[in-house]
Amino acid sequence: MTDRRRHNAPSRSRSRPRPITPRTHWLLLSVLVVTLSAALLLQGYTHHMFGITPDDVTGGRGRDEAVPGRVTRGGPVIADAATSAHTARVKDRTIALTFDDGPDPVWTPRILDVLRRNHVRATFFVVGTEVASHPELARRIVAEGHQIGIHTFTHPDLSRLPSWQRSLELRETQLAVAGAAGVTTGLFRPPYSSRNDALDDADWSVLKQAGAAGYVTVLSTQDAEDWQRPGADRILMNATPHGSTGQILLMHDGGGDRSQTVAALNALIPRLTSHGFRFATVGAAVGMARPVQPAGLGDHLQGMALITLLQTGDRVVWLLGVLMYAAGAISVLRAAVVLIAARRHRRLRTGPRSSSWGRPVTEPVSVIVPAYNESAGIEAAVRSLLASDHPVEIIVVDDGSTDGTADLVESLRLPGVRVIRQQNAGKPSALNTGLAAATCDLVVMVDGDTVFEPDTVRTIVQPLADPRVGAVSGNAKVVNRGGLLGRWQHIEYVVGFNLDRRLFDLAECMPTVPGAVGAFRRRALLDIGGVSDVTLAEDTDVTMALCRDGWRVVYEEGAVAWTEAPASLNALWRQRYRWCYGTLQAMWKHRGALVQRGAAGKLGRRGLTYLLLFQVLLPLLAPVVDIFALYGLVFLDPVRITGLWLAFLLLQLGMGLYAFRLDGERPGPLWSLPLQQFVYRQLMYLVVIQSLFTAVSGSRLRWQRMERYGSLQAPAGTAAPADDVPSQSPGGFPRPAPYDGLPQQVPYDGLPQQVPYDGLPQQVPYDGLPQQVPYDGLPHPAPYAPVPQPAPYGGRPPIPPHPGFRQPGPYETPLH
């Protein structure tokens, strides 16, 4: 059984809420963000800043005054470049096969197979990122007796980099080799290098820096030009030396399709062997003593850590890509579903085949206004209700206000308005107090910061002519639309909330009747035990309970109410945090609807699934979209990323234009939609993250009241206030028609008092409201006293009276 709040329950103060939300998760989230950012920066640098490209992309040769003549005319192996450079040549009839740009997972193993069959040893100049991606190939190269050299970490043109970045490229490649193969090497080949006589001053500065770091630079004397992919025969011709001079032959095992290289190598080795050439590593070919040494423990461990970090970064980027596509697919799916549903909903309600709910509802309505420190806007709210063109009794339940809210309402001396005071016990308790005091079978609940249009009450109760309908959601709109924050909330109300409600109405799975404007059958509320206080989203909780009890909940877009939205980011955070956390509580409480049948099953399998996908999962994926967008702008194609972002924005704009058209709103505020993506959107998904952490950690969030700003306008035409209480001045509240000229209501002199809520009394039969007095001779409606009750809907038998309704079974415990 849902809990009931007694009137004499201990006071639960809301004026000074104690912050009990967890703090550790923000630290964990910050650490995660920093770690993820570092991994993405490293992954972006290693995979997208540079990369393997053909050897002729660097342009022409520059000045060469700084290059020593003995180097230009010397051998291809250059040592001590930083001090007294000297070179070495390959022995006659010796071929040092060298392979650049690997290891490649496809072509390096095939080249190794060819070398093994022919009992040949070669030298592989590896790229650090490729070693990190395929460490097993680096181990195989060393294990099969080949030499290994470094070819930088990301294959940049070192001559165009600053000194610190050159050092980083060399060091990280050495660590990758040490981590993968357990060795360090002194052999180095710069990317895009060729022969000695092609060196210019920029190249020489690179060789000097490498020499100072202890590296021996290995250039080439013969280029097979396999990077051009001219065909196996052409590669074979380019690789065949003329004469008996020893050569360092440049070939490639990575950087693209090397099938021609493999085919040419199969023919080259037997041909040169038959001509008396022998094959050796670079070290053996020039007589160098052990250029490759076992790595120290520190270098090996650092190298393993680097490889792990890079591989993790690769997986993270892959996962981010998958999640980004998932977020995009979910967003497009939601847009399609919502727009199709909204169009169909519009046709069903306004098209030529639309059907009414039944005979017009003319019976009076009890309007319950729970109020806690609402002095800034309570007068405007009550006066707007008095201006209704439908008979109402207004019950203001003051929940222990400390700002004189109850005194203010009483001092207005407005006819038909009752004030009930109670100790502070929370909004659900205030609603239940009003429910117990109500004398009408139809109840409208409205927040103290909300004002109604003159026809709102009449419009919102019309769907209750259908005996299957237990509750009706109205159309809440933002009244304080000034500034970006106000516009953004206005857009969210129209595009997000109202489009969703049309879908929920069509699918018969409405999860929330907003507290700002909702109509209910009093007996339906009593049947589920009233308004529960076990969640912070009492409106969502009670709506789901009604659905599970078999009632249909619908949306009436014509019932317009104007509500005051938060005017600061801090206030907005508190409000949405409470909404989101309360919704999670309600979803968890009513999770049993997933396996139920009938109306409850529709709520579970349609409504709860929709909330989980689009109000929980999609906001959690939103940070992925932002992170990947930043990553793409820095490391990928910024034009493509910008195009995708614009496409996403156009999708939202299209939804916005259609939603504004359905709601009869001017599309002007939509100009701020692009700006909404950079502040408001991030705030909303951080709210979801915070709410989930709060829920998972088991913390109990307490009620946080929103600050009121007094931006609501008191409508004209109601009874004059007392002399000692000045009326509020208009504040720019939009009205479709003036309030004056409406009939005045006389006081409800003798409304019966109800016993406390813990024993809800049976409803007092309604015997007609007092006659209304004409206002200055203007046309006025006929007396409501003799209003006939509507006939049963569609010929169905009438619903049995409330005393015969069953009480529902207990629902699940709330999410903590």
Side-chain angles (χ1 to χ4, degrees):
M1 186 74 66
T2 51
D3 294 340
R4 297 178 177 178
R5 174 68 63 184
R6 297 177 180 270
H7 288 300
N8 58 358
S11 175
R12 183 177 60 188
S13 175
R14 298 172 296 183
S15 59
R16 295 172 60 186
R18 180 172 58 93
I20 59 173
T21 55
R23 302 293 182 184
T24 306
H25 68 276
W26 287 122
L27 177 61
L28 294 176
L29 186 61
S30 299
V31 172
L32 178 62
V33 169
V34 171
T35 304
L36 179 61
S37 300
L40 289 177
L41 287 173
L42 181 59
Q43 205 273 350
Y45 175 84
T46 56
H47 288 73
H48 302 293
M49 284 295 289
F50 305 104
I52 300 171
T53 53
D55 286 353
D56 62 346
V57 300
T58 57
R61 182 177 179 227
R63 300 169 62 90
D64 60 355
E65 287 87 350
V67 183
R70 61 182 178 277
V71 172
T72 304
R73 298 183 297 272
V77 180
I78 306 170
D80 299 326
T83 55
S84 56
H86 59 276
T87 66
R89 298 182 184 273
V90 178
K91 302 172 185 177
D92 287 347
R93 292 196 172 276
T94 300
I95 301 295
L97 288 175
T98 63
F99 297 92
D100 288 4
D101 299 347
D104 183 272
V106 175
W107 306 113
T108 301
R110 297 187 185 183
I111 290 174
L112 288 172
D113 291 342
V114 173
L115 297 175
R116 183 175 54 187
R117 286 196 302 268
N118 290 276
H119 307 288
V120 168
R121 302 290 183 265
T123 304
F124 289 81
F125 290 95
V126 295
V127 176
T129 54
E130 298 300 319
V131 172
S133 298
H134 314 288
E136 71 285 353
L137 293 179
R139 286 192 291 270
R140 180 181 172 184
I141 289 172
V142 174
E144 294 186 0
H146 305 286
Q147 280 185 345
I148 196 166
I150 66 173
H151 197 46
T152 70
F153 199 65
T154 61
H155 203 273
D157 183 358
L158 293 179
S159 64
R160 300 171 183 261
L161 298 184
S163 177
W164 68 266
Q165 200 167 357
R166 295 175 186 174
S167 298
L168 180 67
E169 288 281 334
L170 299 178
R171 175 59 179 166
E172 297 307 301
T173 312
Q174 191 73 265
L175 285 178
V177 171
V183 298
T184 59
T185 177
L187 302 177
F188 163 65
R189 172 173 285 167
Y192 312 108
S193 62
S194 57
R195 299 179 303 181
N196 295 49
D197 57 4
L199 292 172
D200 59 18
D201 292 347
D203 298 328
W204 181 242
S205 68
V206 173
L207 270 59
K208 289 177 63 177
Q209 185 172 348
Y215 290 99
V216 174
T217 300
V218 180
L219 302 179
S220 61
T221 58
Q222 190 156 353
D223 188 355
E225 297 183 2
D226 56 342
W227 50 270
Q228 293 184 351
R229 300 191 187 96
D233 292 340
R234 184 66 180 177
I235 294 173
L236 179 60
M237 182 182 302
N238 294 336
T240 302
H242 302 284
S244 60
T245 304
Q247 305 289 339
I248 293 183
L249 179 60
L250 172 61
M251 304 184 81
H252 296 81
D253 66 327
D257 183 353
R258 300 305 177 202
S259 57
Q260 296 178 5
T261 302
V262 175
L265 191 63
N266 269 312
L268 177 67
I269 295 176
R271 172 185 289 187
L272 295 183
T273 301
S274 66
H275 284 76
F277 284 88
R278 70 182 186 91
F279 294 89
T281 63
V282 168
V286 299
M288 189 183 306
R290 301 185 64 187
V292 179
Q293 301 285 338
L297 179 61
D299 286 344
H300 182 59
L301 293 178
Q302 290 182 59
M304 292 178 63
L306 176 63
I307 291 173
T308 301
L309 180 60
L310 289 174
Q311 290 179 344
T312 302
D314 291 341
R315 296 188 185 99
V316 167
V317 171
W318 175 85
L319 179 61
L320 287 178
V322 172
L323 293 177
M324 188 190 69
Y325 283 115
I330 292 175
S331 299
V332 173
L333 175 64
R334 177 181 180 271
V337 170
V338 167
L339 291 177
I340 293 173
R343 180 177 176 84
R344 180 170 176 79
H345 183 270
R346 182 75 166 180
R347 288 181 174 180
L348 289 176
R349 291 296 178 86
T350 62
R353 297 184 180 180
S354 62
S355 58
S356 64
W357 297 103
R359 295 182 60 184
V361 176
T362 56
E363 60 182 286
V365 174
S366 297
V367 182
I368 302 173
V369 187
Y372 175 76
N373 289 347
E374 299 283 1
S375 60
I378 192 66
E379 180 181 354
V382 172
R383 288 185 181 279
S384 72
L385 295 172
L386 279 177
S388 298
D389 59 7
H390 193 92
V392 294
E393 68 164 339
I394 302 171
I395 304 171
V396 178
V397 182
D398 183 83
D399 188 40
S401 297
T402 59
D403 68 343
T405 297
D407 295 335
L408 173 60
V409 177
E410 288 177 342
S411 66
L412 297 176
R413 303 174 188 172
L414 297 175
V417 178
R418 298 171 57 195
V419 178
I420 300 177
R421 300 171 184 258
Q422 69 173 32
Q423 291 183 348
N424 179 252
K427 184 179 179 181
S429 175
L431 291 172
N432 287 329
T433 298
L435 189 64
T439 63
C440 304
D441 185 53
L442 304 183
V443 175
V444 170
M445 297 180 180
V446 53
D447 288 339
D449 62 340
T450 304
V451 296
F452 275 18
E453 298 283 359
D455 62 348
T456 299
V457 174
R458 173 174 51 82
T459 304
I460 200 172
V461 297
Q462 295 309 309
L464 294 171
D466 185 341
R468 299 170 299 177
V469 176
V472 184
S473 168
N475 185 351
K477 293 178 178 289
V478 174
V479 65
N480 50 330
R481 304 176 180 181
L484 281 177
L485 191 59
R487 290 188 182 93
W488 290 340
Q489 292 179 86
H490 170 45
I491 293 172
E492 184 181 27
Y493 271 67
V494 175
V495 180
F497 300 159
N498 290 345
L499 280 183
D500 282 347
R501 289 191 182 108
R502 288 181 171 90
L503 171 64
F504 292 141
D505 189 0
L506 196 66
E508 299 183 13
C509 60
M510 184 78 68
T512 305
V513 172
V517 52
F520 303 86
R521 293 187 190 276
R522 182 174 181 269
R523 53 181 175 176
L525 291 174
L526 297 177
D527 201 39
I528 61 171
V531 181
S532 172
D533 68 346
V534 296
T535 72
L536 286 180
E538 76 289 331
D539 48 4
T540 300
D541 190 1
V542 74
T543 306
M544 291 183 177
L546 289 172
C547 290
R548 295 188 68 184
D549 204 38
W551 292 100
R552 184 180 174 190
V553 182
V554 300
Y555 173 56
E556 177 51 67
E557 62 187 89
V560 176
W562 299 86
T563 188
E564 202 173 44
S568 68
L569 289 176
N570 185 42
L572 179 64
W573 171 273
R574 293 198 304 270
Q575 182 198 66
R576 298 310 170 85
Y577 182 23
R578 176 175 59 83
W579 285 5
C580 184
Y581 181 74
T583 300
L584 290 175
Q585 287 180 307
M587 290 172 64
W588 182 255
K589 177 181 176 181
H590 297 285
R591 65 191 184 278
L594 289 167
V595 295
Q596 290 183 290
R597 296 181 178 180
K602 292 177 181 178
L603 169 70
R605 289 181 288 278
R606 298 177 186 176
L608 295 186
T609 300
Y610 184 92
L611 292 178
L612 181 63
L613 281 177
F614 301 120
Q615 294 192 17
V616 178
L617 181 59
L618 186 58
L620 290 179
L621 293 179
V624 175
V625 176
D626 291 345
I627 291 173
F628 206 86
L630 292 174
Y631 178 83
L633 288 174
V634 176
F635 297 112
L636 302 179
D637 183 2
V639 176
R640 180 185 176 191
I641 298 300
T642 303
L644 290 174
W645 182 80
L646 289 176
F648 177 74
L649 186 61
L650 287 175
L651 176 65
Q652 289 188 310
L653 182 60
M655 291 180 62
L657 289 172
Y658 188 64
F660 270 58
R661 178 183 176 188
L662 289 178
D663 255 30
E665 294 282 352
R666 294 180 179 180
L670 290 174
W671 70 263
S672 65
L673 193 60
L675 299 177
Q676 191 183 42
Q677 308 303 309
F678 298 105
V679 177
Y680 195 83
R681 182 167 160 271
Q682 285 74 17
L683 184 69
M684 292 301 103
Y685 66 59
L686 286 177
V687 163
V688 175
I689 293 173
Q690 167 84 337
S691 301
L692 283 174
F693 270 109
T694 305
V696 172
S697 67
S699 298
R700 174 80 178 191
L701 181 67
R702 303 186 66 177
W703 181 273
Q704 299 181 31
R705 179 186 173 275
M706 194 188 83
E707 181 182 357
R708 305 305 185 199
Y709 311 100
S711 58
L712 302 175
Q713 174 193 6
T718 55
D723 295 337
D724 56 341
V725 180
S727 175
Q728 294 183 4
S729 60
F733 170 63
R735 305 285 182 192
Y739 283 101
D740 22 343
L742 294 175
Q744 302 301 312
Q745 293 178 307
V746 297
Y748 291 84
D749 297 289
L751 286 176
Q753 298 296 322
Q754 304 290 327
V755 297
Y757 177 70
D758 49 355
L760 286 174
Q762 301 300 321
Q763 185 177 352
V764 179
Y766 175 72
D767 55 357
L769 290 174
Q771 299 290 326
Q772 291 181 314
V773 182
Y775 180 72
D776 295 335
L778 295 175
H780 55 280
Y784 283 99
V787 172
Q789 297 297 319
Y793 178 82
R796 293 182 176 82
I799 297 179
H802 173 65
F805 271 50
R806 64 172 178 82
Q807 291 297 323
Y811 291 121
E812 292 82 359
T813 57
L815 178 65
H816 288 290

